[in-house]
Amino acid sequence: MSTPLHPWNLAPKEAIALQTQLAKRLVLSDRIDPVRYIAGVDIGFEDQGATTRAAVVVLQWIPSSAPNFSVVEQVVHREPTRMAYIPGLLSFREIPAALGAFAKLSTKPELVMVDGQGIAHPRRLGVAAHLGLWLELPTIGIAKSRLTGTHAEVGEERGDWEPLYAGTEIIGAVLRSRARVKPVYVSPGHRLTLETSLKWVMRCLGRTKLPEPTRLADRLASRRDQKRRSLDKR
DNA sequence: GCGACAG
DNA sequence: ATCTTGTCGC
């Protein structure tokens, strides 16, 4: 284990410089083990933002079965929020809490899906890419909106997609994950190609526009779900 | 200088 | 992200 430790509480200027350096370490070819478990990660906030809540859900991948997955583990981790949200520096705000959640996990996933960008980032280090480097695991970023890049209009049917460009470089895909619904932005984070990333996202699509791993993590991390579960207890 | 800007 | 009620649609 040679974890590339680095401080999280950096000033914006230093964080930006670090991103540029870390992005060089990304592996954008397929270096993934046979998939048995897929994790979904998402972050939410409480106390008007003072507390960060990280949620990780692990699904078992079951080929040739319907559905193809079953939840095997879910973890929630809370800690004080460290820094404000700054576009482009999301990972420094969210990853520390995400690592706390991963530390509580007993299942080791072969693939991690993250709510946010992979390399579709101004310096090619979105939260999914950064987390992949830290965990040394294959990661995919699935964002609900665009951070950077340009693309053509996407067809209206499920599965339609268009490449996301930064100049002439393809940094991700804009995927219509549900017919006639706002598309999602898919980009590899670490140890995957865009093609393989898209394949896994499409495989994990259920009835909604988000793939099951991040949809379930989203639910666990959301304020709304906290309310729902406490009401159910009564 | 003026917008754009993951969650 | 979060604050919030109703409302349109399958």
Side-chain angles (χ1 to χ4, degrees), chain A residues 12-43:
Chain A
K13 191 172 179 178
E14 297 160 338
I16 287 171
L18 179 58
Q19 288 181 322
T20 304
Q21 292 310 307
L22 291 178
K24 297 175 184 173
R25 301 198 199 178
L26 291 174
V27 174
L28 296 175
S29 51
D30 292 323
R31 295 289 183 275
I32 180 170
D33 292 333
V35 173
R36 295 176 302 165
Y37 299 105
I38 303 175
V41 191
D42 191 33
I43 271 68

Side-chain angles (χ1 to χ4, degrees), chain A residues 44-143:
Chain A
F45 297 88
E46 302 174 347
D47 311 330
Q48 300 156 153
T51 301
T52 300
R53 177 180 50 247
V56 178
V57 175
V58 180
L59 305 184
Q60 181 176 20
W61 171 252
I62 311 166
S64 58
S65 164
N68 285 303
F69 17 66
S70 64
V71 177
V72 295
E73 194 177 358
Q74 26 184 52
V75 162
V76 173
H77 170 78
R78 272 169 251 252
E79 62 176 57
T81 300
R82 312 196 174 206
M83 62 179 265
Y85 168 68
I86 300 171
L89 299 182
L90 181 69
S91 65
F92 292 89
R93 170 173 163 88
E94 298 196 341
I95 289 185
L99 295 177
F102 269 94
K104 295 178 179 173
L105 220 56
S106 54
T107 314
K108 166 97 169 169
E110 284 78 34
L111 171 64
V112 180
M113 308 211 332
V114 184
D115 194 323
Q117 313 289 351
I119 61 169
H121 176 280
R123 292 166 294 282
R124 308 293 176 267
L125 199 83
V127 59
H130 200 164
L131 184 63
L133 278 180
W134 194 284
L135 296 175
E136 295 187 359
L137 284 175
T139 54
I140 302 171
I142 300 96

Side-chain angles (χ1 to χ4, degrees), chain A residues 85 117 120 143-151 164-165 171 174 182-185:
Chain A
Y85 168 68
Q117 313 289 351
K144 296 182 290 299
S145 63
R146 190 193 67 93
L147 172 61
T148 190
T150 58
H151 62 88
L164 179 64
Y165 292 97
I171 57 174
V174 190
K182 188 173 188 246
V184 294
Y185 292 74

